[in-house]
Amino acid sequence: MPLTGPQSVDRALDLLDAVAAAPGPVTAKALARTVGCSLSTAYHLLGPLTARGHLVRTPQGYALGPRIPGLQRSFQRHLRPAPGIADVLPRLRRATGAEAYYTAYRGGLITVVDTTAPVTDTANPFTPGQEARAHATAHGKALLAELPRPARRRYLADHGMVRLTDRTITSADRFEAELATVRAQGFAVSVGEADPAYTCLAVALPQPRDDGAVHALSVSLPTADFRRRRLALTAAVTGAAAALLPAG
């Protein structure tokens, strides 16, 4: 018997997530196995997802459909980004030689919204989507440092502070001290805390928000390169963030 109600919604979203996580098209049989449902249930739920354009059926299997880019654009629009943010990322990439990122905190979640890193760069540790390692990334620190303490504590309680490398901060008190340093110096740095091979540097955008959201710019690069270019990178990212200040 096909799933109905909230259970069917959950399972349909599981299927969509499974397709998104796959390296290429996925057969219905493989999807059913991945999400733990019968093949008939998988087909029952894949039909509406395909009809609405969230998925497309190819000879090799199911892949993300033409509706997905529109959802991404709508998501970015709802964030109400600073004017010019789309131009800032490639300029920052050219100025620093490091991949640049636009991230945001909203509604208790932190998201990597956009990046200059190619979609084919599977080695890059900071890909678009929800950020589950905010305590270990520069953009996470920059965003959390701007929040009121109760909101910050709620975020850490909800998402935890998993140890990712031997440099990851997992103590709440030590993390608070780290954020005090971020606020004092105006930027955040994570040296191998999320990925042992990478360092990232981030600055919160200095624009007033009335929706509780916080936005940030950041760059990431191999740690050895960062140690040689720290001052220049800091100046480039802080300068790019300052350029997004609203006029007047």
Side-chain angles (χ1 to χ4, degrees):
M1 181 177 179
L3 298 173
T4 59
Q7 189 178 7
S8 67
V9 174
D10 283 343
R11 190 57 56 82
L13 292 175
D14 287 342
L15 289 167
L16 184 60
D17 286 343
V19 173
V26 195
T27 65
K29 184 179 292 186
L31 287 169
R33 187 165 54 248
T34 297
V35 305
C37 69
S38 68
L39 184 58
S40 61
T41 295
Y43 276 123
H44 173 73
L45 298 173
L46 288 166
L49 289 171
T50 303
R52 289 174 174 266
H54 293 86
L55 296 178
V56 62
R57 189 175 184 181
T58 74
Q60 293 77 35
Y62 290 87
L64 292 180
R67 183 76 181 95
I68 301 303
L71 292 175
Q72 167 68 357
R73 288 181 66 85
S74 295
F75 174 75
Q76 292 178 328
R77 184 174 67 252
H78 290 176
L79 280 175
R80 295 162 52 206
I85 189 70
D87 298 325
V88 165
L89 289 183
R91 283 207 305 268
L92 190 54
R93 173 69 176 84
R94 290 191 297 270
T96 63
E99 300 299 352
Y101 308 83
Y102 164 44
T103 57
Y105 166 92
R106 185 179 63 161
L109 297 175
I110 288 177
T111 305
V112 179
V113 180
D114 201 3
T115 173
T116 59
V119 295
T120 54
D121 184 2
T122 56
N124 190 289
F126 310 112
T127 56
Q130 184 175 337
E131 177 59 89
R133 311 157 299 171
H135 64 294
T137 65
H139 50 258
K141 293 179 188 180
L143 294 167
L144 292 173
E146 296 294 309
L147 298 182
R149 187 182 179 97
R152 183 164 61 247
R153 286 299 178 102
R154 280 196 302 274
Y155 180 90
L156 294 175
D158 289 344
H159 298 277
M161 302 179 71
V162 176
R163 182 173 297 282
L164 302 168
T165 76
D166 59 1
R167 293 178 174 270
T168 307
I169 297 174
T170 58
S171 159
D173 289 340
R174 186 180 164 201
F175 192 67
E176 283 295 330
E178 175 79 359
L179 297 190
T181 300
V182 171
R183 288 188 289 271
Q185 67 188 11
F187 62 90
V189 177
S190 168
V191 181
E193 295 175 42
D195 183 290
Y198 279 83
T199 286
C200 50
L201 184 148
V203 176
L205 298 187
Q207 59 179 121
R209 307 288 305 188
D210 58 9
D211 58 0
V214 187
H215 298 180
L217 286 179
S218 61
V219 294
S220 77
L221 67 168
T223 296
D225 293 343
F226 173 79
R227 295 189 191 283
R228 293 186 289 102
R229 303 169 51 209
R230 177 172 182 144
L231 293 179
L233 289 165
T234 303
V237 179
T238 54
L244 291 169
L245 273 169

